[in-house]
Amino acid sequence: MLARQPKREDLQKAIKVARRDRAERLLTREISWSPDGTVELVLTREFMVPDDAGVYLIHDLRGILYVGQSRKLRQRFAQHDRLRRNRLLHLAMSRPVGIMRFSWRLVADEEERSAFERELVATLQPVCNRQLLDTPLT
């Protein structure tokens, strides 16, 4: 016996509901974040980023695009201009909407840093984080 194929209208309605539910979750979730600093994401600003450990965000007018962590924020800041491993992030950075920014919060402890990064990724759901690419839209 063949399974019934869902109608196109049913699929579109399900996608619309899933997007609305996701938006509501994102807008109602509390976030404990206040950056220790923010700079425009251009190499001439590298010296303004501390060489300490922390969690960082890459964002522009579209919102938070990427959340990451590093033991050396300044080095990681510079790498984002050179490395092209994350195709979506490279695409977003090559076509910014407004000013592309790099914001950070200093977190020395590695376990705290990892936990904070996971919390921000789960809460903010940045579109360029690889962890989210295989996650269904729920």
Side-chain angles (χ1 to χ4, degrees), residues 13-130:
K13 184 178 179 181
I15 290 169
K16 187 176 181 179
V17 168
R19 285 182 177 155
R20 186 193 69 234
D21 291 347
R22 181 178 181 189
E24 286 178 9
R25 280 196 313 277
L26 286 173
L27 294 172
T28 57
R29 222 180 252 179
E30 289 195 33
I31 301 171
S32 173
W33 168 267
S34 58
D36 291 327
T38 299
V39 296
E40 188 174 350
L41 189 55
V42 292
L43 275 181
T44 58
R45 306 296 169 114
E46 181 179 347
F47 69 94
M48 299 174 78
V49 179
D51 203 29
D52 300 315
V55 175
Y56 64 92
L57 308 176
I58 295 178
H59 53 101
D60 65 7
L61 290 176
R62 292 172 287 201
I64 306 300
L65 301 170
Y66 185 80
V67 174
Q69 65 161 312
S70 178
R71 281 179 266 167
K72 295 185 176 201
L73 287 168
R74 183 179 303 148
Q75 180 180 351
R76 192 67 182 114
F77 175 90
Q79 287 174 342
H80 275 294
D81 188 58
R82 295 188 314 267
L83 300 179
R84 308 286 188 234
R85 286 185 281 214
N86 185 325
R87 185 183 57 80
L88 287 177
L89 183 57
H90 173 63
L91 179 64
M93 290 174 62
S94 67
R95 296 184 175 133
V97 176
I99 297 171
M100 188 68 64
R101 298 193 183 276
F102 184 92
S103 299
W104 66 88
R105 181 117 183 238
L106 300 177
V107 183
D109 182 74
E110 191 167 348
E111 286 182 27
E112 282 181 47
R113 207 169 45 245
S114 292
F116 189 44
E117 178 193 26
R118 282 191 306 273
E119 176 188 344
L120 287 175
V121 167
T123 302
L124 300 172
Q125 299 187 357
V127 296
C128 297
N129 276 74
R130 291 184 179 158

